Amino acid sequence: MKPNAVIVGIGASEFGRSLPQSQLALGATALKHALADAGLEREDVDGLSLHLGWPLGSDYDRYAEAYGLDIRYVNQTWLHGRFTGQSLQSAAFAVSAGLADVVACITAVSFTRERGFLGGPGDVEGNREEGGSHGEAPPYGLTAPAGGAALGMQRYMHLYGATPEKLAAVPMSMRAHALRNERAIMRKPMTLDDYMTSRMVVDPLRLFDCSLINDGAVVALVTTEERARDLRQKPVRIAGMQGIRAGREEFIFAPRGMGINQQSGRQGPARAVDLEIYRMAGLERSDMAAFYTYDAFSPLVLFALERFGFCGPGEAADFVQGGRIGPGGELPVNTSGGLLSEAHVAGWNSIAEMVRQLRGTAGASQIPDARALQWGTCWGDGVILTS
Amino acid sequence: MQIDYGKPLPRISPDNAPFWEGCREGRLMLPTCEDCDAPHLPPGPVCPHCFSDRLVWREASGRGTISTFVVVHKAWFPAFAADLPYNVAQIELSEGPRLTATILDAERSDLFIGRPVTVVFLARDGIVLPYFRPATAD
Ligand SMILES: [Zn+2]
């Protein structure tokens, strides 16, 4: 079944470090902009999909109360890249099934004020009874998600001969995109030397392999094709979706099977079941004018490209060389600069960019004639948007 | 909320308690399936391979190889700041399952994937934890 769901409005707050506004205030700004963009009123919103919640933010009920909404459908995840696509998908399910007419997907972060939750004693995720999802080992001092990405990258380098110099192409390409984007926090060009001399955070990952820590909010409004007809914007269609993959062969920060945690150690090429998103959309992978992914850590970009078969196992570090994923490249990735250089709004900064691209309003970042774009992560979830 | 700023201790649950009891006795114990014979980690309530409930605990050799590792340079956790830089590795036991621990007495150049290691046990705050050391030639 194809979802009957379109994005009709997007809005954002300012992105920056140590912004004076509260998280709720940033979200309110983004929601007002999204409503104005769509030509909708606050009263039209009857669904919420929050990519947020404890411990980094308020739950759905506080948002509904603070904004004076009257809601009949709620989806809430906690803040992780795993749930960016999932929270958009839930909005699509809700409007397709008639459980809501207009769903507001809200993501608002105050990472600079909530730093204590990120990887330190206040980050209780890894210290749950069954531990965290990023390979955390708190008794041994592995307490931050970056450690999980480093576990994956170290083995990837060993197996496939990838080097730090090759990995550098990921943050350097994200920076090159950000230079064309006035909203981006990082506007200074990054050279290979800048990358190689940035401080080691968790070997083999350097500072520039890790996402920004910032504040900001993005809202996207989702409704049906029919409801979209009398709204202001050309709707952006949710044409294909697939869900998160999980099991003993999966570790969120490594290719399937590569040998982290209890993975078998046999990484294969992208499986048919990992490519079903293209079938649902009735499109080919080669129809994607650009690819958008959760680049909290630069290795995740490599792993996502392999997950969806843009290249074979172990080939992504070579694939990203030569400007291929940068501005004007053969497969631009995260054209607004991603979490590494635009802002960490939990991937929703990239979802908003996909909508701008498909409307043809992406300014200096615009890909000529972009008609189909993919969100896809290394843990396998995806959303294809079309104009 | 009470936050303990010391080094975190393992969370002991009904499923993993025999693992930690084994460490106290200087033995690395693996939950093993009586139906399909496969050991697994982390300890779970059922065999993840065949979903059997018939689990027994068997002592592992304590030998394995480094399957991946990192070296932490950032003091995310104040209690570990004095240890920087320190390593955390995943060790593939010769029985198959992998676990995570620090490799003791290892410089950065001593750490490489495939390096044989053997288990050692160290006490901390009343709990005995497994660590590993680079293996000497047999
Ligand atoms: Zn079994």
Side-chain angles (χ1 to χ4, degrees):
Chain A
M1 183 200 85
K2 265 196 156 186
N4 175 2
V6 293
I7 300 175
V8 291
I10 51 168
S13 72
E14 178 191 352
F15 303 152
R17 296 184 172 113
S18 304
L19 296 181
Q21 301 94 327
S22 71
Q23 204 175 71
L24 275 175
L26 294 168
T29 299
L31 178 56
K32 283 171 191 253
H33 287 317
L35 290 168
D37 181 55
L40 284 165
E41 301 297 326
R42 176 183 65 161
E43 288 66 28
D44 294 319
V45 174
D46 60 354
L48 279 181
S49 188
L50 252 75
H51 180 211
L52 197 59
W54 189 88
L56 281 160
S58 295
D59 295 330
Y60 69 90
D61 41 7
R62 177 61 189 135
Y63 274 85
E65 179 186 62
Y67 300 164
L69 301 171
D70 196 5
I71 294 300
R72 65 178 173 121
Y73 172 84
V74 169
N75 169 66
Q76 180 178 325
T77 68
W78 69 109
L79 194 123
H80 270 306
R82 291 175 271 167
F83 303 129
T84 309
Q86 192 263 5
S87 49
L88 179 56
Q89 291 174 3
S90 292
F93 299 146
V95 298
S96 294
L99 300 182
D101 189 30
V102 176
V103 176
C105 300
I106 303 181
T107 297
V109 295
S110 296
F111 283 125
T112 29
R113 213 167 42 249
E114 303 286 18
R115 253 197 133 99
F117 283 116
L118 309 175
D123 192 338
V124 296
E125 187 168 26
N127 228 7
R128 287 176 290 179
E129 184 164 283
E130 292 296 334
S133 294
H134 316 95
E136 289 94 335
Y140 301 96
L142 199 59
T143 59
L151 287 169
M153 191 63 200
Q154 192 83 264
R155 186 165 173 83
Y156 184 91
M157 288 172 152
H158 168 79
L159 290 174
Y160 302 121
T163 59
E165 289 81 358
K166 285 187 177 177
L167 180 60
V170 172
M172 288 170 65
S173 299
M174 297 307 108
R175 185 62 57 87
H177 285 301
L179 296 180
R180 301 175 171 217
N181 171 9
E182 285 174 5
R183 291 173 309 277
I185 293 173
M186 302 302 278
R187 303 296 309 280
K188 190 171 158 263
M190 186 196 296
T191 65
L192 179 59
D193 193 54
D194 293 335
Y195 172 83
M196 292 302 291
T197 55
S198 73
R199 67 185 164 79
M200 198 63 95
V201 173
V202 50
D203 183 348
L205 301 187
R206 291 169 164 79
L207 180 65
F208 289 159
D209 290 312
C210 302
S211 70
L212 299 169
I213 290 177
N214 58 252
D215 310 329
V218 171
V219 168
L221 299 172
V222 176
T223 189
T224 59
E225 301 249 11
E226 296 74 25
R227 182 76 172 83
R229 273 184 205 128
D230 49 353
L231 296 181
R232 185 171 294 156
Q233 301 289 347
K234 185 176 81 163
V236 165
R237 193 165 291 108
I238 297 174
M241 310 193 288
Q242 72 181 34
I244 298 166
R245 277 89 238 272
R248 286 177 84 79
E249 282 295 65
E250 300 285 353
F251 170 64
I252 60 164
F253 289 169
R256 177 183 174 84
M258 195 187 70
I260 305 297
N261 281 0
Q262 310 308 323
Q263 295 178 324
S264 63
R266 292 180 295 274
Q267 181 190 352
R271 305 166 302 162
V273 72
D274 285 329
L275 305 176
E276 55 196 8
I277 187 170
Y278 304 112
R279 223 167 34 242
M280 186 193 283
L283 293 167
E284 303 292 329
R285 182 172 52 221
S286 55
D287 294 327
M288 301 301 123
F291 184 67
Y292 294 81
T293 193
Y294 201 79
D295 57 332
F297 308 105
S298 47
L300 310 191
V301 175
L302 306 183
F303 305 158
L305 290 167
E306 293 184 12
R307 166 73 73 174
F308 290 98
F310 287 100
C311 56
E315 295 175 1
D318 287 325
F319 180 87
V320 299
Q321 304 303 311
R324 185 179 257 146
I325 64 169
E330 182 188 319
L331 183 70
V333 172
N334 294 351
T335 51
S336 56
L339 278 61
L340 289 167
S341 275
E342 182 188 27
H344 187 335
V345 193
W348 283 88
N349 49 310
S350 286
I351 302 287
E353 168 70 3
M354 293 170 76
V355 173
R356 286 190 296 270
Q357 288 283 354
L358 292 166
R359 288 177 179 175
T361 60
S365 305
Q366 184 66 46
I367 300 163
D369 204 26
R371 290 185 182 171
L373 302 172
Q374 183 185 354
W375 170 263
T377 68
C378 55
W379 38 92
D381 74 291
V383 175
I384 288 175
L385 300 182
T386 59
S387 58
Chain B
M1 187 173 67
Q2 181 74 37
I3 295 174
D4 181 356
Y5 286 86
K7 290 182 179 177
L9 292 171
R11 292 291 306 267
I12 297 177
S13 75
D15 293 335
N16 70 23
F19 177 89
W20 297 106
E21 287 158 17
C23 289
R24 191 178 297 278
E25 299 163 3
R27 303 197 300 158
L28 192 67
M29 303 299 290
L30 292 180
T32 306
C33 179
E34 286 195 295
D35 285 319
C36 76
D37 221 33
H40 72 266
L41 283 176
V46 295
C47 172
H49 305 290
C50 75
F51 211 42
S52 167
D53 293 316
R54 301 204 317 135
L55 299 178
V56 292
W57 288 80
R58 291 195 188 137
E59 186 172 356
S61 64
R63 285 191 295 273
T65 57
I66 297 174
S67 55
T68 192
F69 66 93
V70 302
V71 182
V72 180
H73 289 262
K74 177 179 160 140
W76 273 286
F77 215 97
F80 290 96
D83 300 344
L84 294 174
Y86 57 90
N87 75 72
V88 186
Q90 291 196 344
I91 295 99
E92 184 170 309
L93 299 173
S94 57
E95 291 80 6
R98 301 191 191 96
L99 52 70
T100 302
T102 291
I103 311 294
L104 300 175
D105 306 324
E107 299 297 317
R108 176 65 182 81
S109 57
D110 296 319
L111 297 168
F112 56 88
I113 290 169
R115 167 135 215 173
V117 292
T118 51
V119 73
V120 292
F121 294 94
L122 292 183
R124 191 168 89 209
D125 301 324
I127 295 265
V128 178
L129 294 161
Y131 289 79
F132 287 78
R133 279 210 170 94
T136 47
D138 290 327

